[in-house]
Amino acid sequence: MSFEAIVFYSLAALVLLSAVGVVTHRNTVHSSLLLGLSLAGVAGIFASLGADFLFAGQVLIYVSGIAVLIMFVVMLLGRASDLHLRQVNNQWLAALLICCISAVGLWRIASSFRGLPSPGPAKPSTALLGRLMMGDYAVPFELISLVLLAALLGAIFFSHTEKDA
Amino acid sequence: MTLAHYLTLSGLLFLIGIFGALTRRNIIGILMSIELVFNAANINLAAFNHFRHPGGVAGQAVALFFITIAAAEVVVGLALVLAIYRNTDTVYVEEFSLLKG
């Protein structure tokens, strides 16, 4: 087994096992910690695909931003009694059926790409990505900052409390 | 490693995320499952970029936009969860029945 295969399979096992933990764990605090682990594994997958800037962005935004934010909210809203309540609704059998049917379709799509060989080691892509963002993708790049501003204002609006209410 | 390996990984991650979004009772659990689905899509984008277009970075650029959109989504989502929790005093989605009257 080559070094590349060992890296891929260990990262894939990390991502999938911690993702299963996220959706099945009864304690939401543990589930949010496992979410951070799963997102870090996805960052490793990006690194193995040669996407170095995506790796950095994933670690900076997902692992240290979103996962920590979710952890804060879990700890803010959690109660000790939650540990004794059922965390799964009674439709799980139907959900499992939907997942099995989708798995067949996804497997057919994935197996149609089986013969494609790896194009060899990837080059660093950060400089190219920066040139693309300032060139062809300049308009989406500016629009995304508008979206972030809207999200910021929306978060302030929704979490704002009136003093007299 | 072939493209099929990466597509299988992202498909499994997507299915786990969908299963969690359909079955979790806790609204923060549903948000976490949706993050897993976003990550499955990003793995697909980076993998197709690497295998089908080795010299280019367009797939990575789109994945970067997705990460930004996901950050905006989770910020607004968590603010909404906090607002709902303040009104209904629960995080379980079956009990969010304010519109029923």
Side-chain angles (χ1 to χ4, degrees):
Chain A
M1 198 189 252
S2 68
F3 178 66
E4 197 193 357
I6 295 170
V7 168
F8 174 77
Y9 284 117
S10 50
L11 281 172
L14 175 72
V15 169
L16 292 178
L17 289 178
S18 46
V20 168
V22 169
V23 301
T24 56
H25 218 289
R26 188 178 279 260
N27 188 342
T28 332
V29 178
H30 290 178
S31 191
S32 65
L33 289 169
L34 283 170
L35 177 73
L37 193 63
S38 181
L39 298 178
V42 173
I45 293 284
F46 286 153
S48 78
L49 283 168
D52 47 0
F53 191 75
L54 264 187
F55 166 74
Q58 177 89 3
V59 171
L60 281 174
I61 299 171
Y62 263 114
V63 180
S64 60
I66 292 178
V68 173
L69 193 66
I70 286 178
M71 231 173 278
F72 274 148
V73 174
V74 166
M75 289 172 184
L76 208 60
L77 303 188
R79 287 179 185 162
S81 62
D82 287 344
L83 294 179
H84 307 294
L85 289 174
R86 218 156 43 91
Q87 292 291 330
V88 174
N89 61 19
N90 45 21
Q91 299 292 323
W92 63 270
L93 206 63
L96 206 63
L97 194 69
I98 290 172
C99 286
C100 288
I101 293 168
S102 319
V104 176
L106 287 171
W107 173 250
R108 288 178 74 98
I109 294 170
S111 54
S112 68
F113 288 102
R114 195 176 281 155
L116 213 63
S118 178
K123 293 185 192 67
S125 61
T126 309
L128 280 171
L129 206 54
R131 234 168 260 136
L132 194 71
M133 287 287 179
M134 285 293 116
D136 288 349
Y137 281 29
V139 176
F141 183 72
E142 296 299 329
L143 283 178
I144 209 87
S145 60
L146 215 64
V147 170
L148 281 178
L149 182 68
L152 194 70
L153 292 177
I156 293 171
F157 174 74
F158 286 128
S159 56
H160 175 73
T161 47
E162 284 112 47
K163 285 282 187 294
D164 50 5
Chain B
M1 290 297 102
T2 64
L3 182 52
H5 286 90
Y6 286 95
L7 291 187
T8 311
L9 168 65
S10 84
L12 286 173
L13 191 61
F14 174 78
L15 291 174
I16 293 170
I18 287 286
F19 181 77
L22 288 173
T23 57
R24 287 301 290 234
R25 286 179 68 221
N26 193 325
I27 188 156
I28 306 169
I30 293 174
L31 272 177
M32 288 193 271
S33 309
I34 291 173
E35 293 307 311
L36 292 179
V37 174
F38 266 112
N39 273 280
N42 282 341
I43 291 175
N44 259 359
L45 283 168
F48 272 109
N49 191 158
H50 180 68
F51 285 95
R52 303 305 295 240
H53 197 57
V57 289
Q60 294 180 24
V62 175
L64 210 57
F65 285 131
F66 273 27
I67 291 178
T68 320
I69 293 283
E73 174 259 338
V74 82
V75 165
V76 176
L78 288 176
L80 276 172
V81 169
L82 280 173
I84 293 171
Y85 182 76
R86 221 178 281 133
N87 281 319
T88 61
D89 224 19
T90 177
V91 288
Y92 295 110
V93 285
E94 327 75 76
E95 291 160 28
F96 293 170
S97 52
L98 286 178
L99 286 179
K100 243 188 209 165

